[in-house]
Amino acid sequence: MSKKPEKAALTSATIEEQTAAFLKSGGAVEYVGKGKSGQVASSGSKQINLKE
């Protein structure tokens, strides 16, 4: 059997390089508090009301 490449190490290195390039180009990292998604809601609630 052949060995599989170590994807985790490769992925981590790639993410690190992309993050460094992003910050170097003037990008900024925004802290999002615990329990928050960081996404802006584009529509109202998507819950289904079965009583109607």
Side-chain angles (χ1 to χ4, degrees):
M1 283 191 201
S2 64
K3 282 188 170 183
K4 291 183 180 180
E6 299 219 10
K7 291 182 180 180
L10 181 63
T11 302
S12 296
T14 303
I15 292 171
E16 206 169 304
E17 290 171 7
Q18 290 175 350
T19 303
F22 171 74
L23 294 173
K24 188 175 180 181
S25 71
V29 177
E30 182 181 333
Y31 175 78
V32 178
K34 186 175 182 180
K36 305 275 184 180
S37 72
Q39 294 181 335
V40 179
S42 61
S43 63
S45 175
K46 294 185 178 182
Q47 292 181 338
I48 300 171
N49 187 352
L50 300 175
K51 294 183 179 182
E52 287 183 8

